[in-house]
Amino acid sequence: YGLDTLRLFALARLALPRVPHLLADVGTLGPRLGQMVFGFGADELFAPIVSERALRLGANAHNPALTRKEAATLIRGAGLTPGERFADGTIEEVSA
């Protein structure tokens, strides 16, 4: 299913050039595939952001929540600069 997802993002980016943003939903894709789709056309990460999260063990094993640091690390790992989009549309670069 991962290759199909990557292909879908690539085709969506090519077929919809006027769409400004393709979101990678970490809750649906998981953090690893969410990071990979950046190379295939996605340009935003959508995930619940929490200040702290419990270890991903037991009932919490599939919790899609990320801390700001984890989200920034995923984006930097894809070779991009992380930023946070606010309700008014402005984007602020996320430091460390």
Side-chain angles (χ1 to χ4, degrees):
Y1 294 105
L3 291 177
D4 291 337
T5 301
L6 298 175
R7 184 174 188 266
L8 175 72
F9 272 88
L11 290 174
R13 176 53 74 199
L14 292 172
L16 306 167
R18 292 189 179 174
V19 173
H21 303 289
L22 287 178
L23 296 169
D25 184 358
V26 174
T28 303
L29 301 174
R32 290 187 182 124
L33 190 55
Q35 181 184 39
M36 288 180 66
V37 296
F38 283 126
F40 291 84
D43 63 341
E44 286 194 30
L45 187 67
F46 179 77
I49 302 295
V50 295
S51 57
E52 291 182 21
R53 70 168 172 77
L55 293 175
R56 288 190 170 113
L57 299 172
N60 197 36
H62 299 290
N63 184 351
L66 298 172
T67 63
R68 287 174 55 105
K69 185 176 180 179
E70 289 170 332
T73 300
L74 282 177
I75 295 168
R76 281 191 188 97
L80 303 170
T81 303
E84 183 175 359
R85 182 182 306 278
F86 293 98
D88 63 358
T90 60
I91 298 175
E92 182 180 303
E93 188 173 332
V94 175
S95 59

